[in-house]
Amino acid sequence: MIMTLLYLFSNYYDKLKKLRLEMDFAKRSKNSFIVTLIVTFMLMFIVVAYNTKVLFDSSVGGVYEDGDDKIQMMSTDLDNYLTVAQSTLRVSADTIYLMDKNGNSSRDIYKYLSDQTVKQAEQFDENFTGLYAYVNGEYLDGSGWIPPEGFDPESRDWYKAASEEPGEVVIVSPYVDAQTGYVVVTFAKCISEDEESGKFNVVCLDVIVNYINDAVYSTDIAGKGYAMVVNDDGFIIAHHEKEYNGRYISEVYDQDIMPMVTETIDGRFNAYVDDEMCTLFVHPIMGQWYAVIVVTDEELFENVNSQLVVNIIVSMIIFFFISYFYYLGYRSEQKNATKIEDLNMRMVTALASTIDAKDRYTSGHSQRVADYAVLIAEHMGKSKKDLKKIYVAGLLHDVGKIRVPEEIINKPGRLEKDEMDAIRIHPVSGYHILTGLHEDTRIGYGAKYHHERYDGTGYPNCLEAENIPEVARIIAVADAYDAMASDRSYRKALPQDVIRSEIEKGRGSQFDPEIADVMLSIIDADKEYKLKQKDAVTDIVLVIDDVQMAITHVKHILEKMENIKVVSAMNEEEAFEILEQTNISLILLDLKIADIDGFDMYVRIRKKYAMPVVLMTGDKSKETLHKIRELGIDDYVTKPLNPAITKEVVYGILHRSEITPKSFML
């Protein structure tokens, strides 16, 4: 079973490895967690089932062994007791035989019987109630009992049983004494036969079953169940419930269990007793009786069932804790995976932004192409998994431009042939860069084939129609759309109707007609022409310094940067007034201000505002740098300010790649 599970799990893992490109990390992790739980549960189930079976077999075996020992002990005890009675009768019978042979009178024999009755009760057992005999046609009773008129010994069971087995001590079927109500067992022996009359001489010993009753009453299995002694015709000689003594089993129980007792002889069997399933332990006594212990299965296996329940509960608790720690590990893995995925996406976006930064006229191009590609794919009914891949492919479709010299990318005029060749290698460069970075080939295909044309006249491989990977055909439409919907050095973004006309014109030649139709439907739905490059936003930088010359110096450094406006404050009150009235993008804060410490000022700003803050300081001590890191200040520049470094810090913070989570990435 375990090997089968391991085999199935191994096959599943192999299939999972083959499909890893079709499944994102979160789903793989979730599936692995579920499979691990299932396998752990199944292994735990097998172990628990095996342990339960072993425990059950061991416990049941122990219970049965206890029952077998108890019934055998009781049977042996009663065997010994009855053997004493047999021996007592045998000695008395042999003595009377000799007396008869020696010619002793009936009176002598009667006196012997009377004396022995008293001695046996005193010396052996008070339950040995009397010796009596039928000798030479005369009934002699040692207990002094005088038979009623018409009493015929030869019709009695003891006479008949003894005469059938001359010379042997026989146990006669028990009977209930009419005077005392006791169950009495008679031992009889035929000592001889009168040749003239053909009558048998028989000696008997009556034994009350009190000792047997005591043995039955004190016998059970660890305080469970009860015992009884029956003869082979179902007569109850002794029972735990004394009112059942002298009755037949068929009268006491709904089900006549006597046939099963006689068939079992020595062992145990199951039967319904008083509508409860019971186990009955059986052992023979003197070859004529049966010792029986009856115990309900509920009682018999009470401890066994309790142990099994405890074993199962403990196993379930162990499984719960294992599952809980698995879950903690899974959650930790998910959190780490989310962080890694977020980090990867930030790196991808940063890389795309780096490429876009080489072209001063196409800022944000990669982000927009990725957004448009996803929009097209959504209208095509792609899955969330596909949308993620298409989004990343869109962001990185121009990554190969990192190999193209910046002067070629930003050349305002017509490109020469060798310059055009340098441009045309960027899809191949991008493909090989991404092949080494990303396991999904679709990401690389998006970079390599997004300049292929549907009619086969594109580059780098002149592929046509369906031979062009779908992801590249989607990006080709998105890329062309953004090129027309964005500002260039030689023109502004084209009007929407012109773009629509160009897309329609390129159906079947430049673009996949089906994907072009999707883009056309998107354009038609965009009534307000929102799908285009956004107008440049002017960022307002607040400089807080109590020295006017320092403020002027900062303004001089930043005035040549595009789309930046500088405002200033010389104290805390002015600063917060500007913050209340103006949408500030960045704060340059001097560490030493007359009315307040720069660190305290930062803390107060941060309580209410979230814009980035850059500290300006001439203090480069370890304590100051530690405080900057401790407070989480975005960055700092040291005085005297280096213009190039200051501008780069401002530019870097204002152009940080902010990733807006897409619905398909959540």
Side-chain angles (χ1 to χ4, degrees):
M1 178 67 76
I2 294 175
M3 294 303 295
T4 301
L5 286 174
L6 292 176
Y7 173 75
L8 293 175
F9 181 74
S10 177
N11 278 352
Y12 172 82
Y13 183 73
D14 288 341
K15 290 179 181 178
L16 190 62
K17 285 175 65 178
K18 292 177 182 177
L19 295 174
R20 67 186 184 276
L21 298 182
E22 303 298 325
M23 190 182 302
D24 59 27
F25 179 84
K27 189 172 182 180
R28 289 202 302 269
S29 179
K30 181 179 179 181
N31 286 358
S32 297
F33 171 67
I34 293 172
V35 170
T36 300
L37 277 187
I38 292 174
V39 171
T40 302
F41 176 78
M42 295 184 72
L43 291 176
M44 284 285 293
F45 177 81
I46 292 171
V47 171
V48 170
Y50 176 76
N51 287 341
T52 300
K53 184 179 185 306
V54 171
L55 177 62
F56 180 81
D57 292 344
S58 175
S59 300
V60 169
V63 169
Y64 283 156
E65 188 175 339
D66 290 343
D68 292 338
D69 289 344
K70 282 286 185 179
I71 195 68
Q72 191 168 3
M73 287 173 60
M74 185 178 82
S75 179
T76 301
D77 180 39
L78 296 182
D79 266 337
N80 293 336
Y81 179 74
L82 296 178
T83 299
V84 171
Q86 284 183 322
S87 299
T88 300
L89 173 64
R90 187 175 286 110
V91 170
S92 298
D94 290 346
T95 300
I96 293 173
Y97 172 76
L98 292 174
M99 291 176 72
D100 183 48
K101 287 294 184 182
N102 293 333
N104 289 67
S105 65
S106 296
R107 186 177 182 81
D108 292 337
I109 294 174
Y110 174 74
K111 186 177 185 308
Y112 173 77
L113 289 171
S114 298
D115 292 342
Q116 287 301 310
T117 296
V118 174
K119 287 181 180 180
Q120 287 171 5
E122 292 176 350
Q123 297 177 5
F124 292 102
D125 193 327
E126 62 181 5
N127 295 310
F128 292 2
T129 58
L131 280 166
Y132 54 92
Y134 183 62
V135 180
N136 298 325
E138 184 178 1
Y139 178 76
L140 306 171
D141 196 313
S143 65
W145 180 71
I146 300 175
E149 186 177 348
F151 177 75
D152 181 14
E154 295 180 20
S155 66
R156 312 300 289 182
D157 288 343
W158 49 266
Y159 180 85
K160 294 177 182 179
S163 62
E164 289 177 1
E165 297 184 51
E168 298 295 329
V169 176
V170 296
I171 302 177
V172 185
S173 295
Y175 67 93
V176 179
D177 187 274
Q179 295 180 346
T180 64
Y182 291 136
V183 175
V184 178
V185 178
T186 301
F187 293 83
K189 181 180 181 182
C190 177
I191 58 175
S192 62
E193 182 181 2
D194 189 338
E195 295 179 358
E196 293 181 4
S197 64
K199 295 181 179 181
F200 294 96
N201 296 324
V202 178
V203 180
C204 297
L205 171 66
D206 277 352
V207 178
I208 299 175
V209 298
N210 287 341
Y211 181 87
I212 300 174
N213 272 331
D214 292 341
V216 165
Y217 193 78
S218 63
T219 299
D220 54 40
I221 302 174
K224 300 167 185 175
Y226 59 88
M228 60 181 167
V229 175
V230 298
N231 70 353
D232 53 10
D233 62 359
F235 183 85
I236 300 176
I237 299 167
H239 195 286
H240 183 79
E241 302 294 336
K242 293 184 179 180
E243 63 265 26
Y244 295 152
N245 290 355
R247 298 174 65 181
Y248 285 88
I249 280 184
S250 58
E251 299 174 3
V252 174
Y253 299 107
D254 294 336
Q255 182 180 0
D256 188 0
I257 60 175
M258 197 59 215
M260 289 181 277
V261 171
T262 55
E263 287 177 10
T264 303
I265 302 177
D266 183 7
R268 58 183 174 271
F269 65 90
N270 294 97
Y272 280 98
V273 177
D274 296 332
D275 296 327
E276 290 189 90
M277 178 56 70
C278 298
T279 299
L280 287 80
F281 297 86
V282 180
H283 199 280
I285 302 174
M286 301 297 291
Q288 289 182 252
W289 297 355
Y290 299 95
V292 180
I293 296 179
V294 181
V295 58
T296 64
D297 286 355
E298 183 178 353
E299 284 185 308
L300 187 64
F301 302 125
E302 182 180 5
N303 292 336
V304 175
N305 293 334
S306 298
Q307 291 174 356
L308 293 181
V309 169
V310 170
N311 184 46
I312 292 172
I313 290 175
V314 169
S315 299
M316 292 304 296
I317 291 173
I318 292 173
F319 174 73
F320 170 79
F321 277 108
I322 291 175
S323 301
Y324 177 70
F325 286 118
Y326 275 157
Y327 177 75
L328 291 181
Y330 165 72
R331 291 296 300 167
S332 176
E333 185 179 24
Q334 288 290 298
K335 289 179 180 178
N336 290 335
T338 301
K339 291 179 180 178
I340 292 172
E341 187 170 0
D342 181 67
L343 177 61
N344 288 340
M345 188 54 64
R346 289 182 181 277
M347 292 177 65
V348 166
T349 306
L351 181 58
S353 298
T354 301
I355 301 305
D356 288 348
K358 294 189 71 174
D359 188 342
R360 67 180 67 130
Y361 299 108
T362 59
S363 178
H365 168 70
S366 296
Q367 180 68 63
R368 291 192 299 276
V369 169
D371 290 339
Y372 298 153
V374 167
L375 189 59
I376 293 170
E378 283 179 329
H379 281 71
M380 293 172 67
K382 297 299 181 181
S383 65
K384 288 176 65 173
K385 173 182 61 182
D386 289 334
L387 294 180
K388 288 183 181 182
K389 301 303 180 185
I390 292 169
Y391 181 73
V392 174
L395 283 176
L396 298 177
H397 75 284
D398 272 343
V399 71
K401 285 185 177 179
I402 199 169
R403 294 263 295 155
V404 181
E406 190 170 341
E407 58 270 17
I408 294 178
I409 292 176
N410 290 310
K411 184 176 180 179
R414 184 180 183 85
L415 296 178
E416 301 296 333
K417 182 181 181 304
D418 58 336
E419 293 172 332
M420 181 59 69
D421 289 340
I423 289 290
R424 289 188 171 184
I425 67 168
H426 85 269
V428 177
S429 300
Y431 170 75
H432 288 288
I433 291 172
L434 296 176
T435 298
L437 293 178
H438 208 287
E439 62 181 5
D440 196 317
T441 55
R442 287 177 293 180
I443 308 300
Y445 288 163
K448 186 173 183 179
Y449 300 116
H450 72 279
H451 280 296
E452 296 286 359
R453 292 172 58 94
Y454 198 75
D455 59 8
T457 61
Y459 64 90
N461 295 116
C462 298
L463 300 182
E464 61 180 322
E466 303 296 322
N467 286 336
I468 305 170
E470 185 181 52
V471 64
R473 283 180 274 140
I474 292 173
I475 292 174
V477 174
D479 187 40
Y481 178 86
D482 184 63
M484 292 183 282
S486 301
D487 293 339
R488 288 293 186 264
S489 60
Y490 50 89
R491 63 157 173 81
K492 289 290 185 179
L494 299 178
Q496 189 181 44
D497 59 338
V498 174
I499 298 175
R500 191 188 191 289
S501 176
E502 291 298 321
I503 296 290
E504 190 169 18
K505 195 182 300 180
R507 288 181 74 259
S509 56
Q510 183 176 353
F511 311 121
D512 181 323
E514 292 183 6
I515 297 175
D517 287 341
V518 172
M519 190 69 235
L520 291 173
S521 67
I522 293 172
I523 293 172
D524 292 340
D526 183 21
K527 302 297 184 182
E528 298 179 6
Y529 194 18
K530 292 182 178 180
L531 297 178
K532 65 176 181 177
Q533 183 184 27
K534 301 297 185 290
D535 294 333
V537 177
T538 298
D539 292 308
I540 301 176
V541 178
L542 171 60
V543 181
I544 305 174
D545 200 316
D546 59 351
V547 178
Q548 183 60 51
M549 185 178 295
I551 293 175
T552 302
H553 181 54
V554 173
K555 287 183 176 181
H556 179 70
I557 293 174
L558 302 183
E559 66 183 4
K560 294 182 180 179
M561 296 182 68
E562 294 181 357
N563 302 318
I564 287 182
K565 177 182 177 182
V566 180
V567 295
S568 62
M570 299 187 68
N571 54 55
E572 180 182 2
E573 183 179 350
E574 289 181 9
F576 277 97
E577 184 177 346
I578 293 173
L579 288 171
E580 286 288 336
Q581 298 174 359
T582 310
N583 184 20
I584 301 299
S585 302
L586 172 67
I587 297 175
L588 291 176
L589 173 63
D590 187 38
L591 180 59
K592 303 297 183 181
I593 303 177
D595 60 342
I596 188 172
D597 177 74
F599 289 128
D600 293 337
M601 182 71 171
Y602 170 80
V603 172
R604 295 188 186 184
I605 292 172
R606 188 56 70 232
K607 285 181 180 180
K608 193 172 181 180
Y609 302 99
M611 73 281 294
V613 176
V614 175
L615 201 65
M616 300 183 294
T617 177
D619 183 358
K620 294 174 278 188
S621 67
K622 183 177 180 181
E623 292 75 13
T624 298
L625 298 181
H626 176 74
K627 191 73 176 282
I628 290 172
R629 288 190 290 269
E630 184 180 36
L631 291 175
I633 296 174
D634 295 86
D635 204 347
Y636 68 95
V637 289
T638 56
K639 293 183 176 181
L641 300 182
N642 181 295
I645 293 176
T646 303
K647 286 194 290 185
E648 188 60 30
V649 169
V650 171
Y651 179 87
I653 292 177
L654 292 177
H655 292 82
R656 281 178 180 171
S657 299
E658 296 296 337
I659 299 176
T660 302
K662 310 293 181 182
S663 60
F664 58 83
M665 299 183 70
L666 298 178

